[in-house]
């Protein structure tokens, strides 16, 4: 599904977010991640610019699905971080794919994008698929006491950039991240 604001067809440097659904935060209000805040940021960003697109992808739990994501939460309760919880369940740390994105952009005759993301792997993946990424728009959101460990894990273990980690919300036991 695509959420489009303004005239983007045939454009260059269109601001695009490839957003992966997160039922737990976007519907149930979970504070364990920053997914809802990232979606809200992207929606406000394209609205304020009066131009842009959010490609909403059904890839819950970094591609492993809602049921496995809930199991991963259980594994995390035993002290594993989000990456290791996926590995314990037999999944890679990130199973998402973006193969549909080039076709969506081609259908809209979009020549190049500025990607709203903090994830360097997403940029590399899209570029490998032939998407011309002119630049990155950082998606900085506030952390909370429930999400800061998750955000630090994404930064330290997956290379995510520009995370809105508030020092007051940092977990006490950071040795698990080194």
């Amino acid at each position: 599904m695509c959420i489009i604001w303004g005239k983007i067809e045939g454009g260059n440097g269109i601001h695009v977010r490839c957003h992966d659904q997160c039922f737990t935060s976007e519907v149930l209000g979970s504070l364990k991640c920053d997914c809802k805040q990232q979606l809200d940021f992207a929606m406000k960003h394209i609205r304020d610019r009066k131009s842009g697109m959010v490609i909403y992808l059904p890839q819950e739990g970094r591609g492993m699905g809602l049921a496995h994501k809930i199991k991963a939460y259980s594994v995390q309760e035993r002290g594993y971080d989000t990456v290791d919880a996926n590995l314990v369940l037999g999944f890679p740390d990130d199973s998402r794919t973006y193969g549909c994105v080039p076709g969506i952009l081609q259908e809209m005759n979009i020549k190049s994008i500025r990607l709203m993301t903090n994830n360097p792997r997403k940029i590399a993946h899209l570029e490998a698929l032939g998407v011309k990424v002119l630049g990155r728009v950082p998606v900085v959101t506030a952390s909370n006491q429930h999400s800061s460990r998750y955000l630090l894990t994404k930064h330290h273990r997956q290379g995510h950039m520009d995370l809105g980690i508030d020092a007051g919300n940092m977990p006490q036991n950071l040795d698990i991240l080194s």
Side-chain angles (χ1 to χ4, degrees), residues 57-96:
L57 301 164
Q59 301 193 95
E60 183 79 39
R62 286 198 205 101
M64 65 182 178
L66 181 59
H68 293 297
K69 178 180 178 179
I70 300 300
K71 289 178 186 175
Y73 279 177
S74 176
V75 173
Q76 289 173 40
E77 292 296 322
R78 297 194 317 251
Y80 291 91
D81 68 24
T82 186
V83 170
D84 286 334
N86 289 12
L87 298 174
V88 165
L89 293 174
F91 292 94
D93 67 325
D94 195 336
S95 303
R96 294 175 292 184

Side-chain angles (χ1 to χ4, degrees), residues 3-164:
I3 303 163
I4 298 169
W5 193 284
K7 182 182 178 335
I8 64 171
E9 288 188 53
N12 283 299
I14 302 298
H15 287 223
V16 172
R17 169 131 181 102
C18 297
H19 185 83
D20 304 295
Q21 93 181 29
C22 181
F23 182 82
T24 53
S25 73
E26 295 163 5
V27 176
L28 300 179
S30 172
L31 300 174
K32 287 180 166 278
C33 63
D34 60 341
C35 300
K36 181 181 183 327
Q37 290 84 359
Q38 288 185 0
L39 179 60
D40 291 345
F41 173 95
M43 297 294 288
K44 181 179 183 323
H45 182 81
I46 65 173
R47 185 177 60 245
D48 290 350
R49 291 184 50 79
K50 298 182 178 18
S51 174
M53 177 168 53
V54 175
I55 302 172
Y56 193 83
L57 301 164
Q59 301 193 95
E60 183 79 39
R62 286 198 205 101
M64 65 182 178
L66 181 59
H68 293 297
K69 178 180 178 179
I70 300 300
K71 289 178 186 175
Y73 279 177
S74 176
V75 173
Q76 289 173 40
E77 292 296 322
R78 297 194 317 251
Y80 291 91
D81 68 24
T82 186
V83 170
D84 286 334
N86 289 12
L87 298 174
V88 165
L89 293 174
F91 292 94
D93 67 325
D94 195 336
S95 303
R96 294 175 292 184
T97 61
Y98 299 97
C100 66
V101 174
I104 292 169
L105 298 175
Q106 185 177 31
E107 183 72 25
M108 300 291 297
N109 197 27
I110 295 172
K111 313 271 191 284
S112 61
I113 67 171
R114 295 193 181 281
L115 189 63
M116 290 181 263
T117 188
N118 298 331
N119 184 348
R121 289 188 200 175
K122 189 180 288 186
I123 296 167
H125 193 94
L126 289 171
E127 288 178 334
L129 291 169
V131 174
K132 186 172 183 182
V133 180
L134 296 180
R136 180 180 72 89
V137 177
V139 181
V140 181
T141 62
S143 66
N144 64 64
Q145 65 182 350
H146 306 286
S147 68
S148 58
R149 181 171 182 235
Y150 170 78
L151 295 173
L152 286 168
T153 299
K154 287 198 321 183
H155 172 69
H156 288 289
R157 304 223 28 219
Q158 296 177 313
H160 286 230
M161 308 168 276
D162 297 311
L163 302 177

